[in-house]
Amino acid sequence: MVRGPGRVKGGAAMKKKVKRWKKGQSCVSNPDNQIHRQAAVRNRFLPNKPPGSKAQETSLLTKKSLEKHNEDSGDIDSDYDMNSEGGHSYGTFMSGLSDCTNPTFDRVKRYWDSKSASHKEVCAVLAAVTEVIREKGGKETETEYFAALMTTLDSVEEEDSKSAVLYLLNLVLKRVPANVIKVKFSTISKCFMDILSQNANSNTTSIVRSCLQCLATTLRIIDMTSWNEASTKQVYHGVLSFTVHQKPKVRKAAQNAISAILRGSHFMVSSKPPPHHPAASLTAKFCIQQVEQSGGTGEATTTLHVLGLMKDTLPWFPKQSIKSCCETLLRVMTLSNPLVTSVSMQCLHNLFSTKPRVSSLPADLTARIINALYDYQPGINDAQQMQAWLAVMEAAYVCLVKVDERLCMSHLPRFTTAAISCFLSEKSEVAVAAAKTLKVVFKECITPSVDWLKIEFASGAGSPVHKIFQTIEGGLAYRYHASWGLVLQVIGTFIEVLGKECHSMMTKCLQTMADLRSTHQFSYTAELDKTMGSAVKHIGPRIVLNAVPLQITGDDDNYGFPRSWLIPVMREHICNTELKFFNKYFLPLAAKLRTKSLQLTQEGRGVEAKTYNILQSQVWSLLPGFCKNPTDLCTAFKDIARILGSALSDRPDLRKDVCAALRHLITHNTENEKNKSEIAKFSKNFLPILFNIYTKSEPKARDADHFIIFETIKSYLTISDNKLISSFFDKICSKLTDRVSDRATVMDLAIVMVMYVDQERLAAIYKIITKQFEDADRTVQKKAYRILEEICESKLESTQAFIDSHLSDLQQVLLMSLASASPSSKAPRLRCLIQIVKRLPSGQHEFLQAIIPEVILCTKEVNTKARASAFTLLIETSNAMLRWDADNRQECLGQFLDLVVAGFAGSPQMISATILSLTRIVYEYREILTGETLKQLITAMCTLLSSKTREIVRSALGFVKVLLTILDEATLAQFVESLVMSITSLSEPNRRALRKSMKSIYCRLIRKYGYEMIIKQIPTDQQKMVHNIKKLQERRKRKMALKNAAEESDDNEEENDALLPTKPRPETIEEILQESDSDTDDEKEKKKPEGRKIKQRGAAWLREGKDETLLDFLDPSVSKRVLATKPDKPSETKGLKHNFKSMPDGRLMITEDVEENKNEKKSMKTKQLNDELGQMMDEELASRKKQNRKRKLDNLEGVSDDDEDVSPTKYKAGGGGIHRPIAKPSGKSSAPGSEYKAKKAAGDIKKKGKADPYAYIPLNKHQINKRTKKSTKGAWNNLTKAAKKGALAGKKGRMKKSRRK
């Protein structure tokens, strides 16, 4: 017997002193002695040594050691041969599964460890079949598996085994050669049909489903000629019969099988497929027959099942079958069953959205279906059915326009009228759906027909376009005012589609919209502005202003300027229009408004002058829009160019708009050579003006306009002649040579022009800027580096040749100018070095070694661009070394690291920068870093973490963070203990200041290795942070789980808010309608919360007419009266309920019970009644405040007097904040001494049986406070004054009385 460590040996062993557990400590999970546990923890982080490593070669586990161990243990005979003998391994019941070579069953292999009995059975059957095939010398082909499984299918009797075999057959049948299936079709189909007939009513559905899938695969493979045989049709009918099966899974499998056969048969997906499948007409007859037999009354379960089949297969029927099926669908819809109607709509929507062949669904049949659907148009207040109907009609018109555009346009006016009527609906979702449908139909149906519609529109006013626009224009009538926002969206879409071609009929509509915009408190200004903007964009500002004048002339204007809102609308939407219109209309208007402003200023009318000045600036703001790809640039630009030049020179307030206009002209005509050459002709005029404006501005006074001028110069230089640019550049070089005062501004111009000059001028500017690298003016020095940067980054051949010829000189100049480089020049200087390093030939190690210290220090620069450039240069430097010796990348990287690590010998700032540089290098080259190099770096970082300099420690912690990100668990495991030990050994000030970085590192360690492992390596006094991290992670997991659960919960009972034009609409018919046929017939109904009515499945409501006439159910329009949405009841008057009786004419009968004493005075009776009424009102108000806000007002007001016995709440307000008492007392004041207050007089009175009133001022604890003593002192002063005044009045009164006596 093996003795445990807690058991004590008997006999002589008792005399020896052995270590024993303390009493009660034998079952402690965390004993004090944890030697073995600590060893296990340490071993966990030991990496697995690869084969052939030194650790494996010097292993102590030898053959002699094992023999000695066996002799000592006595468990194994010492004569046992240690050399293993080769042989065949023992097979298991899973061997056939695990080493199955056929890829068909790869998905089965994942079930080998499943706990499901069916999965285990599948694995066992596959393993047995594989072993049988191997025993017979098979090659494990699909045909062999098919034959073996078919043989097995005949022999098995158990349902589980049969289901497993059928599952495997379903997988292998898809890969069996087609010829094998065709030859064995009769045998295969007979076998499967026998199984279907035997298990049709079985409790388990897996056999039937697998059988149906096998039959579908088989029927898809056979040739088209085989479908002429009666046996094939009989098999197909057998599959069809299961499409109306009572079990959802079987029914769904059969419907998918039928759909796959009709759509995916081999001859249907060939290069020359037939018009339709031979079995399509059989399927259509079956569907029609089943629908006619079952009808649509009651639950209509069979009808719904057949309609579900038709939804997937109807587009693949032949023309005559589609016609018959659609007639059947329309007949079923007359039964007014909401579920049947909904699924029928889904069938039609799927038919149109699939866009079947023209031979199956010609244009005339589509048009007849559309006309028939108007008889089944639901009521506008039936939200569910109406949205479905609109979706079907949208799909139908989009399908029709693909076949016959003219026929579609002839039917479109009627649909527009029907859709516009939906804007009168009480349901906001109906109006939104109608607007969305109209916009889609206009874009999809009218846009392809614009060419011939334009010709037909010019012929007369009876065209479909006129009718459609008249209908949507009628939506601006007042009865549609609740949906004006949606109507304006529809009008905007129509203008977008046909505004350019048919703008003549839109004048009245534009005037109506302008009048509505001026209406007081118009609610849809944003939608109207957007619609008017669409008109400006697609019709043009000239035509819009002809229809809706601006009403701003500069002569006797209405100072209200009612049409001024048009200016910002035009500014946002003008494009692709005539520049000539701005020259003729807006330029004279702007000049007139400015003249008017100056005139009013001279007259002293400052407010009017300011108004006209703002108007003229707004008119000028329209110029950039006119310059966005103008249609007449070649003829109109020369007329306005002189004016623009004058505006740039003389009008600083217009420079922003003029520069924007010039930039738009250039950027929108880069590919139009004719327009570009026209603009380039004026370069000699505009560029000097822009240069003068830019150079004359004071450096301290430069604002955003200065930057705008600079950007305009850059844009104009892209299209200017190189000779012109060279002449300007020569002048710039001469100014820089003369050392003018505004050198920085002139150098800005040189920066943008240097990329367009030749090598001769490059040499001249290079000679100038090399002297300025050591200039005392930091701005000039920075501009010099910027010029060199533009030269280095240029892609022109002349510039590239200049750089190559001056490369060595550039290196020497940059190294010599290092000491004089200012901090602001660091970023452009580093970018220059980046371009030079990229061009360095091999062997330039000295130059790299010279610039590395500068690069390392720049990683700590304050300037963000300088830091980014430093890191980029660091990587480019390492890439250069690796490029020079591509065969020894690791060795080159080691040499480069040696150059960088030399920074550890510098100042703390240099050490910190070196750590940052190493961090970037390790991250960039993490794939080629060797283990020894990585170990040395981590050891160095652990040493640096013990530094007292916080800057060094912060950088080292950043290095650790990157390590945790880039290294995998196995590689990092060997360094975890040393890293954690170094982090925990930080000094207290550093640990407190860098706690965020430490927390981030601990989070990543816990994520990689777990909380239990990390917490053991941290000292007890520092474990609090790790505990908090664990709590936060668990809390985050709980919140995430709750959030996911909340997202998955159904939220279908949300009510629509107000009518919102931007409200999203479901995209598909399945999202619009609720599923009529649930696949979970056997599931139990979910429990509804109490207080809510259970929604009945398939419930319908009948909307009666206003009159008392009976409904005619034979009328085709009666379907509009059958609603799937419960109609809203008329709102009742919300008022206080009463118990008074009423007369037939509505008057109330109010009676009084006279039970009071008639001898009481009338005044006392009135007072008592008033007191009772006041008390009742106070109680009523108090009770209302206590009621829940969600409780209806009617319930509150209907409370009778019998409810007075209800006990009041025990809670009493007290304290501050939300708990303060806010209810005012309804009775007398409870202030001290209030009972002594006289009712008529101003003072107090004495009462019999009570003490005299001497409470002059209420006692207050705040009077003791020294700070508030002065503020309370006034009360006592006032009291003494009042007392003296009262005493004096009493004295005078007594003297008067004595005189009278």
Side-chain angles (χ1 to χ4, degrees), residues 339-477:
L339 288 177
V340 175
T341 304
S342 298
V343 184
S344 301
M345 290 285 187
Q346 292 183 29
C347 295
L348 294 173
H349 182 273
N350 194 53
L351 170 66
F352 295 128
S353 59
T354 307
K355 296 180 179 61
R357 299 179 181 179
V358 181
S359 59
S360 300
L361 187 63
D364 57 341
L365 179 57
T366 305
R368 282 192 288 173
I369 296 174
I370 290 174
N371 288 331
L373 284 173
Y374 284 108
D375 297 332
Y376 301 93
Q377 180 181 350
I380 59 175
N381 293 324
D382 191 357
Q384 181 183 5
Q385 297 291 342
M386 194 63 191
Q387 290 182 81
W389 186 82
L390 288 170
V392 172
M393 297 299 285
E394 175 188 324
Y397 277 101
V398 173
C399 179
L400 180 58
V401 76
K402 303 294 183 183
V403 183
D404 193 337
E405 295 178 1
R406 295 184 179 272
L407 183 61
C408 178
M409 287 302 303
S410 63
H411 285 76
L412 207 52
R414 184 178 180 184
F415 174 69
T416 306
T417 305
I420 289 294
S421 65
C422 294
F423 290 145
L424 298 173
S425 174
E426 298 175 359
K427 306 289 185 179
S428 61
E429 56 268 30
V430 173
V432 173
K436 180 68 179 299
T437 301
L438 282 174
K439 290 190 289 185
V440 172
V441 169
F442 288 164
K443 289 182 179 180
E444 296 291 336
C445 299
I446 299 180
T447 303
S449 312
V450 170
D451 295 334
W452 63 269
L453 279 176
K454 179 171 57 176
I455 302 174
E456 187 174 339
F457 171 78
S459 62
S463 64
V465 175
H466 285 90
K467 296 178 182 178
I468 293 171
F469 190 75
Q470 288 174 3
T471 303
I472 61 176
E473 186 182 6
L476 295 176

Side-chain angles (χ1 to χ4, degrees), residues 1236-1255:
Y1236 295 98
K1237 187 176 181 180
K1239 294 182 179 180
K1240 296 181 179 181
D1244 292 342
I1245 59 174
K1246 292 184 177 182
K1247 287 193 175 183
K1248 187 177 181 181
K1250 291 188 176 181
D1252 293 341
Y1254 288 122

Side-chain angles (χ1 to χ4, degrees), residues 946-1077:
S946 61
S947 174
K948 295 182 180 180
T949 306
R950 187 172 302 165
E951 186 178 9
I952 298 175
V953 176
R954 180 182 285 108
S955 301
L957 290 176
F959 183 88
V960 175
K961 286 183 186 178
V962 173
L963 279 183
L964 294 175
T965 304
I966 65 176
L967 297 183
D968 57 272
E969 296 183 13
T971 307
L972 184 64
Q974 54 186 324
F975 308 113
V976 170
E977 188 174 359
S978 58
L979 287 174
V980 174
M981 187 179 300
S982 300
I983 294 172
T984 55
S985 62
L986 296 179
S987 61
E988 181 63 26
N990 287 342
R991 193 162 59 245
R992 184 169 57 252
L994 305 175
R995 59 186 181 277
K996 289 186 178 180
S997 300
M998 294 175 60
K999 185 176 181 180
S1000 176
I1001 293 173
Y1002 287 150
C1003 286
R1004 300 184 187 190
L1005 285 172
I1006 292 173
R1007 198 178 301 124
K1008 281 181 174 289
Y1009 299 104
Y1011 167 79
E1012 297 294 338
M1013 190 59 59
I1014 301 301
I1015 193 66
K1016 295 178 180 179
Q1017 303 183 35
I1018 298 176
T1020 308
D1021 57 339
Q1022 301 182 25
Q1023 291 182 356
K1024 185 177 180 180
M1025 178 182 290
V1026 184
H1027 287 306
N1028 291 335
I1029 293 172
K1030 182 184 179 183
K1031 291 180 181 178
L1032 289 175
Q1033 289 180 349
E1034 292 178 352
R1035 186 183 306 164
R1036 193 178 296 113
K1037 289 180 181 179
R1038 290 195 299 268
K1039 287 184 178 180
M1040 187 62 66
L1042 292 175
K1043 183 179 179 181
N1044 295 336
E1047 290 177 355
E1048 294 176 358
S1049 62
D1050 295 331
D1051 195 13
N1052 299 327
E1053 297 181 0
E1054 289 186 357
E1055 298 180 358
N1056 283 320
D1057 297 333
L1059 186 62
L1060 297 176
T1062 58
K1063 183 179 183 298
R1065 173 179 179 266
E1067 296 294 334
T1068 60
I1069 191 71
E1070 285 79 13
E1071 295 175 353
I1072 295 173
L1073 298 174
Q1074 297 177 356
E1075 285 294 330
S1076 303
D1077 185 16

Side-chain angles (χ1 to χ4, degrees), residues 32-49:
D32 297 333
N33 191 0
Q34 298 180 349
I35 298 175
H36 301 288
R37 298 190 182 194
Q38 291 174 0
V41 169
R42 287 193 297 269
N43 292 337
R44 181 175 185 264
F45 292 105
L46 291 177
N48 296 325
K49 299 294 182 181

Side-chain angles (χ1 to χ4, degrees), residues 826-841:
K826 292 290 186 182
R829 173 183 168 84
L830 291 171
R831 289 194 289 268
C832 294
L833 287 171
I834 290 172
Q835 300 299 326
I836 292 173
V837 169
K838 288 181 179 180
R839 298 174 178 273
L840 283 179

Side-chain angles (χ1 to χ4, degrees), residues 2 152 270 356 663 783 794 807 903 915 976 1094 1140 1145 1162 1209:
V2 180
T152 306
S270 60
R663 291 198 303 274
K783 302 294 183 183
S794 177
L807 187 60
I915 297 173
V976 170
I1094 299 176
F1140 299 116
D1145 59 354
K1162 187 175 182 180
T1209 177

